[in-house]
């Protein structure tokens, strides 16, 4: 009757919220990014610091429009709740699950992007991660971690526990009805590519050639085999990478993606980036540049997706 079907109430509500979010961004000419860093995990890394946390301490509160790290016409506001001493995300599964829920309770409706950082000691490049896998997932490529069985989140955390030890009160089984693998709503390869454009490649290769060669020389798990032979991007390489891993970094990414997908709109976009473990002043400055470039590239894509000009 009346011609045409009615829009389901929940869909109508989601459309209204998304429209409001776009209008809000257009009117305030500001886009908000929340960045988190992780704490140390000396039980496994023999390190008493985590560069992802150290880098958050160096980030500014704002990036001006049309500036070095911001190609957009919007001011980028950076929220940095884990940058203070001791305020990092602890490397404990139960804590992470509860912390991510609190993070969304406090910020979900006011943040456009959540960028989670983690440390990959021994790497000399920065990543934007394509996927996160749920606890209990198995893979052949992660078999060298933990017990060697390839199960995700079975390596004990800094509290000496695994994801299986999460109690009912701590949210046990929260995501059992969610897919085993989740990906962000942004084009990860595009973010990495734009990050390299922002940083500008030095050397004989063009930035496009360097980016394409990095993709071509990537193995099944997304790890660039020849990254050390690539020309440096002002001493920084940002590359797309298959996944955030089977330990707490991957756990954080999955928790945040799942939370964003299941909460009422608007919810922020979510990305995860790994940073190298070197903590000297020059390395941390490189890390700052890489993270700011990733933020600028992601914001550029978010604004483009939402049609905010």
């Amino acid at each position: 009757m009346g011609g045409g079907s009615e829009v389901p109430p929940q869909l109508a509500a989601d459309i209204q919220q998304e429209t409001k979010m776009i209008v809000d961004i257009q009117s305030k000419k500001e886009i908000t990014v929340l960045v988190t860093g992780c704490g140390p995990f000396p039980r496994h890394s023999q390190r008493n610091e985590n560069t992802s946390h150290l880098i958050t301490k160096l980030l500014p509160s704002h990036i001006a429009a049309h500036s070095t790290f911001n190609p957009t016409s919007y001011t980028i506001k950076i929220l940095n709740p884990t940058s203070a001493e001791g305020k990092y995300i602890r490397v404990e599964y139960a804590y992470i699950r509860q912390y991510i829920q609190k993070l969304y309770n406090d910020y979900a409706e006011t943040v456009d992007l959540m960028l989670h950082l983690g440390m990959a000691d021994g790497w000399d490049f920065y990543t934007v991660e394509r996927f996160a896998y749920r606890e209990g997932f198995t893979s052949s490529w992660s078999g060298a971690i933990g017990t060697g069985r390839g199960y995700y989140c079975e390596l004990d955390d800094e509290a000496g526990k695994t994801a299986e030890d999460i109690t009912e009160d701590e949210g046990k089984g929260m995501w059992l009805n969610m897919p085993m693998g989740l990906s962000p709503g942004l084009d990860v390869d595009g973010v990495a590519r734009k990050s390299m454009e922002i940083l500008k490649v030095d050397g004989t290769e063009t930035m496009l050639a360097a980016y394409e060669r990095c993709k071509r020389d990537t193995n099944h798990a997304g790890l660039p085999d020849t990254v050390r032979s690539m020309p440096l991007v002002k001493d920084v390489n940002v590359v797309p990478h298959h996944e955030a891993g089977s330990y707490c970094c991957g756990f954080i990414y999955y928790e945040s993606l799942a939370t964003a997908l299941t909460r009422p709109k608007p919810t922020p976009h979510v990305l995860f980036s790994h940073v190298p473990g070197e903590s000297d002043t020059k390395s941390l400055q490189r890390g700052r540049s890489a993270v700011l470039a990733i933020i600028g590239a992601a914001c550029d894509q978010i604004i483009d997706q939402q049609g905010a000009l």
Side-chain angles (χ1 to χ4, degrees):
M1 294 179 63
S5 58
E6 294 184 0
V7 177
Q10 185 57 53
L11 177 57
D14 287 349
I15 292 172
Q16 184 178 12
Q17 288 287 356
E18 289 172 357
T19 302
K20 179 180 181 298
M21 183 167 58
I22 292 171
V23 171
D24 286 348
I25 291 177
Q26 288 174 328
S27 62
K28 67 186 179 183
K29 297 292 282 186
E30 183 176 84
I31 187 165
T32 303
V33 178
L34 187 149
V35 183
T36 68
C38 293
F41 45 104
R43 286 169 59 90
H44 300 294
S45 71
Q46 288 76 53
R47 296 279 297 274
N48 290 313
E49 59 189 5
N50 189 312
T51 52
S52 69
H53 176 237
L54 298 178
I55 288 171
T56 63
K57 295 181 177 183
L58 303 178
L59 300 180
S61 62
H62 293 80
I63 311 176
H66 297 305
S67 59
T68 302
F69 297 107
N70 182 4
T72 80
S73 60
Y74 293 77
T75 298
I76 299 174
K77 179 180 180 180
I78 299 178
L79 302 179
N80 211 342
T82 65
S83 62
E85 195 64 37
K87 294 296 183 180
Y88 44 68
I89 297 181
R90 300 204 308 259
V91 184
E92 300 173 16
Y93 297 109
Y95 173 86
I96 290 167
R97 177 155 292 172
Q98 294 179 313
Y99 182 84
I100 294 296
Q101 293 307 304
K102 184 179 185 305
L103 202 63
Y104 276 77
N105 288 340
D106 294 343
Y107 296 104
E109 294 185 3
T110 58
V111 169
D112 303 292
L113 169 68
M114 285 201 185
L115 174 62
H116 303 291
L117 305 179
M119 181 180 73
D121 206 6
W123 292 6
D124 60 359
F125 51 93
Y126 301 81
T127 73
V128 187
E129 303 293 347
R130 294 189 183 113
F131 303 108
Y133 296 106
R134 199 180 77 205
E135 60 199 90
F137 178 77
T138 61
S139 72
S140 61
W141 61 84
S142 71
I145 299 177
T147 66
R149 297 185 301 166
Y151 284 93
Y152 279 49
C153 307
E154 70 173 351
L155 182 65
D156 57 321
D157 61 18
E158 285 303 296
K161 296 182 178 181
T162 73
E164 291 184 353
D165 298 317
I166 294 174
T167 66
E168 296 291 340
D169 290 341
E170 295 166 335
K172 185 179 183 66
M174 179 179 287
W175 307 120
L176 290 180
N177 293 324
M178 293 292 288
M180 271 291 186
L182 295 177
S183 62
L186 295 174
D187 173 11
V188 165
D189 289 50
V191 171
R193 184 174 189 162
K194 186 67 176 182
S195 299
M196 292 182 73
E197 291 180 12
I198 291 170
L199 291 163
K200 299 182 175 60
V201 171
D202 291 328
T204 57
E205 287 190 16
T206 66
M207 65 189 144
L208 178 60
Y211 173 81
E212 293 298 336
R213 184 156 70 84
C214 177
K215 285 178 63 179
R216 187 174 64 250
D217 294 337
T218 294
N219 65 21
H220 70 281
L223 182 62
D225 291 322
T226 61
V227 69
R228 285 175 176 79
S229 68
M230 290 179 59
L232 294 178
V233 187
K234 286 190 176 179
D235 297 327
V236 180
N237 280 305
V238 179
V239 300
H241 187 258
H242 177 70
E243 57 148 325
S246 59
Y247 193 40
C248 286
C249 288
F251 191 72
I252 290 170
Y253 200 15
Y254 190 96
E255 292 292 309
S256 193
L257 287 168
T259 303
L261 284 170
T262 55
R263 291 224 173 180
K265 303 293 184 183
T267 53
H269 287 280
V270 181
L271 288 175
F272 193 101
S273 292
H274 272 111
V275 301
E278 287 81 4
S279 57
D280 59 277
T281 300
K282 185 177 179 181
S283 295
L284 292 177
Q285 288 294 335
R286 284 199 299 265
R288 176 185 184 273
S289 295
V291 170
L292 290 177
I294 291 167
I295 288 172
C299 288
D300 185 57
Q301 193 176 125
I302 290 169
I303 292 168
D304 185 60
Q305 278 189 5
Q306 295 175 343
L309 301 175

